Amino acid sequence: MRILLIEDDRETASYVVSGFQEEGHTIRHAQDGSEGFLAALDDDYDIMIVDRMIPKLDGLSLVKALRDAGTKTPVLFLSALTSIRDRVDGLQGGGDDYLSKPFAFAELSARAQALARRPALAIEETELRVSDLVVDVLSHKVTRAGREIRLQPREYRLLCYLMRNADRVVTRTMLLESVWDINFDPRTNVVETQISRLREKIDKPYDTPLIHTIRGSGYRIHG
Amino acid sequence: MDRPRPTARWFGRTSRRLSLQYSVLYMGLVLLDFLFAYFLSLSEMREWAQEKMQEDAARLQTIYDQGADDLLGETVDALSRLDIDRTTIYALFDETGGPVIGPLAAIPDASSGTLVSATVLGLSLDPHEEVDAYWVQIDRIGPWTLVQATSDEVIHELLEALVAALLLGFFLLLGLGYFLGNRVGRLTEDRVAQISDVLGRAASGDLAARINPRDRAADDLGQIEGGIDDALAKIEALMAAQRQVTVDVAHDLRSPMQRLRQRLERLAPSPDFDDEKAAGLASIDQIEHTFNALLTIADLENSQAAFDKEVVPLTNILDDLRDLYEEAAEAAGLGFRVAISAPGLTVLGNRSLILQMLGNLVENSIKYCPPGAEIVVSAQTDGAQLVLEVRDTGPGMAEEFIPHACDRFSREDLSRHIHGNGLGLAIVHAIAKGHGATVSLRNLSQGLCVTISGLSQTA
């Protein structure tokens, strides 16, 4: 994954840069808005991680300018501004996701990977497949090794989200936002419970487990 | 936001009330004026009748003095006959008081210059005649007694004319007064409505609302309008400055917290410090949670219109609520139930925020209720509005704490042995307020009931 990070805080930048490098990604760091703007036009990236408050050209204006210039690279905003309006401004201003500071690197990495490989203009897939687990998106039919599995609506949404992000880590917050559609932490173990119910149906009767817990980060489905 | 024009009672509209009040005042004045005119005319008429009768008497005296005794009788007779309508009566009596000429049978018992009724004169009048009294003039002409009487018919006619003029004046005044008053009033009222509209918008958070008067110095209303605009501009600037402070504080605190987190995260794994590291990260999570809660409250209170509202089916929200909390309630040994009074209820608002509001209440109940207690979330309508309730059969709340329950950082459990940051109910309050609703808490015979009332069902 080729990443462009636009962040003025050196310490945060080095933390993000080394984190992604350790995961084997290529990352370029720009210190301010104008440097970031030129870097974004200069090369092709899979994702841009942009701080909202950076010198010279603020993050929001930078992304608007890039969108006007025709750049379609997904943008993840990093910000100390967390109000609903700031989020809405960020997402309406061309951002694809919004992460508040302070953030854990695992959360940033999971979100960046979910965004980066998201086929931005892809046609809606009609079938999701991980190993012998198949979801027919049109008929909502779930089968593993040819046997049909009956899921509750929430379990189905959870499975679809995991499968759309197959081989990538998804965090608890990402699941709450996407599967439960809420922007707060209910502080119950609702995610864990649903995951374990899903495992009961998807993994338990079979030899190879597909849903994996990534300690300290979240969950990942892979064959 | 477009505020409807205030629909006061018909008479409550200032322009209508003022114009009617002025019309009535003018009508009173006109009535006084007409009464004055009536009495003035009455007295003028009397003087005129009296003078005329005195002149006639003097003329007849001259005829008598010239020795034309017959001519006196003939003249009086002629005069008497001339009067068909009996508006003016001439009668002549001899020295014994016997009637000689004219319609009267006897000399009336009245003195000159007085107004006497027709019956005193002994006249039987046609009831259609508008005559009921006469001014009397009695003169001695030689041995004769001349009695003249002038009817008040003229007065009646004058009165009729005056009443007609008065009524016409009344209606003209009423109509014109109402029309003009209303028109002038409306001009003022429209401006007052605009002022109240702008103030209303400002009160609901739109501090950019302005009246923009055409001419501030034109009149007192213009000065008020200008004053309101100035005040709003000042408040807006102050709010922007305060927001900037919040942003700066947020940035200044969040960045060091970020660094703290990344330093902890980057510590090399070591059996000696792994627990410390985990505890440190958990503390940062806790600080972050409190921080976000505070910013959420500030955000909701500062800009109520900042979040999207839509009409959401209530079953949708309550199903999600059950999904999120049922398990946790069961794990704590509590019953959890959702009750909707009627199917198909909807709520106008932000789904995630309403869910968070109910979630916080349920979370509190789970936290404070002993095993075996029950939590019931219910929804019912109150007219066009929606009432949500979360009640439990737990220990309730100390009465003296209830008024402060929604304050930030207020906790009934002062020993703080129950986990929490004291912001849950403050968030509930802020979310309710952002939806134009209110929160009230009351103790039940067993347990606590929190009511959110005043939510809209539709847009």
Side-chain angles (χ1 to χ4, degrees):
Chain A
M1 189 161 74
R2 293 169 55 78
I3 305 162
L4 173 62
L5 171 71
I6 308 173
E7 163 68 83
D8 63 320
D9 185 272
R10 283 172 188 278
E11 203 176 320
T12 302
S14 89
Y15 162 74
V16 173
V17 168
S18 54
F20 277 113
Q21 280 171 346
E22 278 165 25
E23 285 188 352
H25 303 293
T26 310
I27 180 162
R28 178 170 169 189
H29 172 220
Q31 296 263 14
D32 60 48
S34 53
E35 190 191 333
F37 186 72
L38 294 174
L41 293 179
D42 184 45
D43 209 342
D44 212 17
Y45 295 94
D46 296 319
I47 182 164
M48 288 190 284
I49 299 170
V50 184
D51 192 301
R52 274 281 306 261
M53 291 195 288
I54 40 173
K56 293 190 184 167
L57 184 61
D58 75 274
L60 197 57
S61 312
L62 169 89
V63 172
K64 279 182 182 158
L66 285 174
R67 292 285 182 251
D68 288 344
T71 309
K72 291 193 175 66
T73 314
V75 168
L76 189 153
F77 274 121
L78 285 181
S79 180
L81 306 174
T82 54
S83 81
I84 302 167
R85 182 168 285 169
D86 292 322
R87 282 187 82 92
V88 170
D89 283 352
L91 296 178
Q92 283 178 349
D96 299 274
D97 200 357
Y98 202 101
L99 187 59
S100 304
K101 285 182 178 176
F103 55 87
F105 180 76
E107 187 74 33
L108 173 65
S109 167
R111 282 172 184 266
Q113 293 187 49
L115 267 190
R117 289 194 227 156
R118 188 170 74 184
L121 299 166
I123 341 135
E124 190 67 31
E125 303 146 276
T126 56
E127 191 187 86
L128 302 167
R129 181 182 288 271
V130 172
S131 177
D132 54 352
L133 177 66
V134 182
V135 173
D136 182 330
V137 177
L138 298 177
S139 66
H140 287 210
K141 206 168 117 180
V142 181
T143 50
R144 181 159 185 194
R147 257 192 289 165
E148 189 173 343
I149 301 169
R150 297 207 170 272
L151 296 180
Q152 295 296 317
R154 184 79 65 191
E155 294 163 352
Y156 176 78
R157 282 180 70 181
L158 180 58
L159 180 64
C160 285
Y161 187 78
L162 288 169
M163 288 181 80
R164 287 206 167 91
N165 290 287
D167 298 328
R168 281 168 269 168
V169 178
V170 294
T171 65
R172 187 171 176 275
T173 321
M174 287 162 80
L175 289 173
L176 285 172
E177 281 176 17
S178 306
V179 179
W180 276 266
D181 195 18
I182 57 175
N183 298 311
F184 64 96
D185 183 352
R187 297 197 290 172
T188 63
N189 48 6
V190 62
V191 175
E192 295 72 13
T193 308
Q194 287 292 346
I195 289 278
S196 83
R197 281 193 191 148
L198 197 56
R199 276 187 171 137
E200 285 285 319
K201 295 180 181 178
I202 298 293
D203 283 344
K204 211 174 174 194
Y206 304 90
D207 291 338
T208 333
L210 299 177
I211 302 172
H212 304 269
T213 303
I214 312 301
R215 201 168 159 269
S217 300
Y219 305 93
R220 179 167 57 195
I221 196 164
H222 66 89
Chain B
M1 193 173 71
D2 208 16
R3 271 161 62 93
R5 204 191 175 83
T7 50
R9 285 168 295 123
W10 189 87
F11 194 63
R13 293 260 312 274
T14 315
S15 60
R16 279 200 185 124
R17 201 177 58 237
L18 279 183
S19 58
L20 271 181
Q21 280 170 352
Y22 278 112
S23 293
V24 168
L25 182 68
Y26 280 128
M27 271 156 55
L29 286 174
V30 166
L31 190 66
L32 275 179
D33 198 26
F34 274 68
L35 279 177
F36 177 70
Y38 172 72
F39 285 110
L40 193 68
S41 313
L42 196 66
S43 118
E44 288 288 323
M45 290 299 301
R46 205 179 87 165
E47 265 176 42
W48 169 79
Q50 217 65 41
E51 266 172 31
K52 192 180 143 283
M53 289 190 292
Q54 279 166 3
E55 272 170 28
D56 283 354
R59 219 170 281 141
L60 289 167
Q61 180 72 48
T62 315
I63 291 172
Y64 175 77
D65 288 348
Q66 286 166 354
D69 215 6
D70 287 349
L71 195 57
L72 175 70
E74 276 170 31
T75 313
V76 173
D77 191 36
L79 285 171
S80 180
R81 278 170 203 283
L82 265 179
D83 172 48
I84 305 156
D85 299 337
R86 292 202 173 150
T87 49
T88 328
I89 289 166
Y90 295 88
L92 208 58
F93 296 88
D94 60 20
E95 54 243 302
T96 60
V100 183
I101 294 163
L104 302 186
I107 301 170
D109 182 20
S111 50
S112 291
T114 53
L115 190 67
V116 296
S117 73
T119 49
V120 171
L121 293 178
L123 291 171
S124 60
L125 292 173
D126 185 342
H128 297 298
E129 294 285 334
E130 291 176 326
V131 178
D132 28 54
Y134 287 85
W135 281 294
V136 178
Q137 175 73 32
I138 302 171
D139 295 279
R140 301 270 312 167
I141 300 176
W144 314 101
T145 302
L146 173 69
V147 175
Q148 295 180 71
T150 303
S151 83
D152 64 350
E153 186 205 33
V154 191
I155 295 298
H156 278 283
E157 269 163 24
L158 182 73
L159 200 63
E160 255 173 39
L162 279 178
V163 167
L166 194 65
L167 281 178
L168 187 70
F170 264 13
F171 287 115
L172 269 179
L173 209 64
L174 192 69
L176 210 66
Y178 179 72
F179 176 71
L180 285 180
N182 218 7
R183 245 192 109 80
V184 172
R186 276 295 277 274
L187 291 177
T188 311
E189 221 173 56
D190 283 349
R191 290 171 70 188
V192 172
Q194 200 200 349
I195 292 175
S196 115
D197 174 50
V198 166
L199 287 176
R201 276 160 55 200
S204 57
D206 177 13
L207 290 175
R210 294 288 183 278
I211 301 165
N212 293 321
R214 267 189 232 152
D215 183 1
R216 287 173 171 229
D219 54 13
D220 50 353
L221 264 186
Q223 286 167 12
I224 292 174
E225 289 165 343
I228 290 172
D229 276 5
D230 290 347
L232 283 175
K234 184 100 184 162
I235 294 171
E236 196 184 16
L238 281 172
M239 290 296 291
Q242 199 199 344
R243 187 172 155 78
Q244 192 52 47
V245 168
T246 313
V247 166
D248 292 347
V249 168
H251 190 248
D252 288 357
L253 287 178
R254 276 172 185 269
S255 297
M257 265 159 66
Q258 177 64 41
R259 289 187 208 122
L260 185 61
R261 176 185 279 282
Q262 48 208 46
R263 284 181 185 181
L264 279 174
E265 279 191 9
R266 299 198 66 74
L267 283 178
S270 132
D272 294 341
F273 295 113
D274 276 357
D275 288 348
E276 298 293 320
K277 182 175 155 184
L281 287 171
S283 292
I284 291 176
D285 283 345
Q286 185 55 37
I287 295 171
E288 204 182 322
H289 186 77
T290 303
F291 211 69
N292 286 339
L294 274 176
L295 283 175
T296 303
I297 295 168
D299 186 35
L300 283 166
E301 287 184 345
N302 287 342
S303 48
Q304 293 167 3
F307 55 86
D308 292 331
K309 288 183 187 166
E310 55 186 344
V311 176
V312 191
L314 207 59
T315 44
N316 176 330
I317 292 181
L318 294 183
D319 283 350
D320 286 346
L321 185 74
R322 191 176 8 223
D323 190 34
L324 290 172
Y325 294 97
E326 194 170 35
E327 204 103 18
E330 277 167 13
L334 305 169
F336 183 82
R337 203 154 55 81
V338 168
I340 299 186
S341 70
L345 285 185
T346 56
V347 60
L348 173 68
N350 182 288
R351 184 189 148 279
S352 176
L353 286 174
I354 292 176
L355 200 51
Q356 185 175 7
M357 174 169 77
L358 291 172
N360 277 6
L361 294 175
V362 172
E363 209 179 302
N364 270 355
S365 290
I366 293 176
K367 222 158 26 183
Y368 291 98
C369 286
E374 194 183 28
I375 304 167
V376 181
V377 181
S378 63
Q380 62 251 318
T381 51
D382 176 18
Q385 294 182 327
L386 185 74
V387 180
L388 298 176
E389 237 175 42
V390 176
R391 57 168 76 206
D392 62 43
T393 56
M397 198 179 261
E399 282 295 335
E400 63 273 17
F401 180 71
I402 287 181
H404 311 288
C406 292
D407 297 349
R408 284 167 225 204
F409 298 113
S410 70
R411 296 179 63 183
E412 188 187 8
D413 167 40
L414 290 176
S415 63
R416 308 201 167 209
H417 70 267
I418 292 179
H419 173 81
N421 54 18
L423 291 170
L425 280 174
I427 290 184
V428 169
H429 180 256
I431 294 175
K433 198 174 153 203
H435 284 79
T438 53
V439 183
S440 59
L441 293 89
R442 66 173 206 279
N443 277 314
L444 306 168
S445 57
Q446 174 68 54
L448 182 74
C449 176
V450 186
T451 311
I452 317 285
S453 36
L455 290 165
S456 300
Q457 292 184 66
T458 50

